[in-house]
Amino acid sequence: MREPHTVVDPSLPDSVTIYEVGPRDGLQNEKAIIPVETKHQFIERLVDAGLPIIEATSFVHPKWVPQLADAADLMARLGEAGRNMPVLVPNERGLDRALELGCRHVAIFGSATETFAQRNLNRSLDEQFAMFEPTVKRAREHGLDVRAYVSMCFGDPWEGNVPIDQVVDVGKRLYELGASQLSLGDTIGVGTTGHVTALLDAFNAAGLADGVLAMHFHDTYGQALANAHTALQHGVTTFDASAGGLGGCPYAESATGNLATEDLVWMLHGLGIDTGVDLEKLVATSVWMADQLGRPSPSRVVQALA
Ligand code: HMG
Ligand code: MG
């Protein structure tokens, strides 16, 4: 299979961590309910392709996200390996379900805007913290690692532009509940490179260094890879991506696919940056998954290599 011609940029890091969200952010937005056996196989193939972190599923209300209602069944099938895969938990009920199955990594997901907090969490912007605070506290008491997401960092479908100060306030509050990492989500994929730099500068000024930040781009406007490169140059070394560009969010209008893992890997390997990912196996996985879903992957790299 064709590989990119590697030209090292000495100003960039030697390695980057890819945080794979396809099984969660990808499949949560599929209209069809994917059989749990297929999800299990998808995750095993991602492991085999070398993805170091794979977010497996969500312990959210099954009525809110029926696509992931099989979370407990999936985790049981994944066994010991699954316990190291992060899962989303919005509240203490979700945490209880994750604890019962021995999960060691959970992620809370806050909103930078009032409207999305209401639509995604059934809480106001302020009320979301009252839901997350005891969840993170108990997770930490049980020795779990907690990631915090903040959504709508670059724009909101109902509110339009989102002030950078507001994003930093919410993100810092979520992080300070006891998270080890804060993932900044461009949920609807509207961000551009200058905005990425300004947001990262603002987080750095508020005391959150690039080392505790991850970037979570969606590719709605085709900006995800450019935005990732800008964040990489800034100093971020963890990037969320989804195999084959699957994904979206059922509660965010126009949140189409995530940055495709293959597109990110092609760029990083071209820059001589190690990811641990076997691109050939990953592309084969996305081609197989596209077959299961009955439509082609939107990833340009998958299309080019398949
Ligand atoms: P609610 O209706 O306000 O819940 O939903 P509640 O606390 O009032 O409880 C009502 C009932 O639900 C109770 O049952 C609870 O036990 C039950 P009852 O006593 O009436 O029989 N319940 C639960 N059951 C199972 N699991 C749970 C759970 N919690 C309560 N965890 C809630 C509030 C947060 C639960 C709901 O709004 C919800 O599940 N939201 C999830 C939405 C979601 O998953 N969105 C997608 C993920 S976010 C995303 O994709 C963005 C991201 O990718 C980053 C980016 O792109 O920006 C992360
Ligand atoms: Mg997302």
Side-chain angles (χ1 to χ4, degrees):
M1 196 187 64
R2 193 177 184 122
E3 300 271 348
H5 176 160
T6 296
V7 180
V8 175
D9 178 343
S11 71
L12 296 176
D14 296 336
S15 68
V16 151
T17 302
I18 299 182
Y19 184 108
E20 171 65 42
V21 296
R24 194 278 304 169
D25 208 356
L27 298 186
Q28 76 180 7
N29 208 38
E30 282 302 317
K31 283 188 185 71
I33 307 274
I34 309 301
V36 67
E37 298 80 12
T38 307
K39 292 177 180 174
H40 183 197
Q41 205 181 332
F42 182 37
I43 292 175
E44 298 224 303
R45 291 184 71 140
L46 292 170
V47 171
D48 187 51
L51 268 317
I53 307 177
I54 302 167
E55 196 169 74
T57 186
S58 297
F59 289 100
V60 296
H61 198 295
K63 285 208 185 104
W64 283 64
V65 184
Q67 291 87 343
L68 303 183
D70 57 7
D73 188 357
L74 178 64
M75 294 314 285
R77 285 165 195 259
L78 288 166
E80 176 53 27
R83 301 203 173 102
N84 289 322
M85 295 176 186
V87 294
L88 253 54
V89 297
N91 54 14
E92 289 194 89
R93 175 81 188 94
L95 176 65
D96 287 338
R97 292 171 62 204
L99 285 171
E100 267 164 41
L101 290 154
C103 298
R104 301 189 185 104
H105 299 265
V106 294
I108 56 163
F109 48 102
S111 170
T113 66
E114 181 62 44
T115 313
F116 190 61
Q118 297 282 359
R119 290 190 177 239
N120 198 47
L121 298 164
N122 200 23
R123 298 289 181 280
S124 71
L125 190 72
D126 270 335
E127 283 165 356
Q128 67 179 336
F129 297 103
M131 183 166 76
F132 295 135
E133 204 240 28
T135 309
V136 176
K137 184 164 178 285
R138 272 189 49 225
R140 302 280 287 136
E141 282 164 6
H142 281 85
L144 272 57
D145 170 67
V146 180
R147 170 184 240 223
Y149 281 99
V150 52
S151 288
M152 302 302 176
C153 292
F154 293 86
D156 174 288
W158 303 279
E159 298 184 16
N161 293 344
V162 183
I164 286 177
D165 287 356
Q166 187 177 320
V167 177
V168 173
D169 280 351
V170 171
K172 194 170 154 72
R173 273 180 83 180
L174 289 171
Y175 177 74
E176 288 177 350
L177 292 175
S180 61
Q181 187 173 65
L182 182 71
S183 174
L184 306 179
D186 184 4
T187 319
I188 57 167
V190 292
T192 50
T193 55
H195 197 165
V196 172
T197 303
L199 188 66
L200 288 170
D201 285 347
F203 269 105
N204 292 170
L208 271 72
D210 287 348
V212 302
L213 300 174
M215 300 307 296
H216 178 107
F217 293 118
H218 284 257
D219 204 29
T220 323
Y221 288 79
Q223 307 297 300
L225 197 57
N227 289 339
H229 187 249
T230 297
L232 181 68
Q233 287 179 316
H234 199 279
V236 174
T237 56
T238 301
F239 291 88
D240 300 0
S242 96
L246 291 168
C249 174
Y251 292 99
E253 201 179 277
S254 83
T256 51
N258 289 81
L259 167 60
T261 312
E262 289 86 350
D263 297 11
L264 179 63
V265 168
W266 183 270
M267 179 183 78
L268 294 173
H269 289 186
L271 288 162
I273 297 172
D274 183 37
T275 63
V277 174
D278 179 326
L279 188 57
E280 190 164 3
K281 284 185 176 176
L282 181 60
V283 168
T285 300
S286 291
V287 169
W288 167 83
M289 197 62 206
D291 220 38
Q292 307 299 309
L293 299 171
R295 55 179 167 70
S297 159
S299 159
R300 304 299 288 267
V301 171
V302 172
Q303 286 170 20
L305 294 178

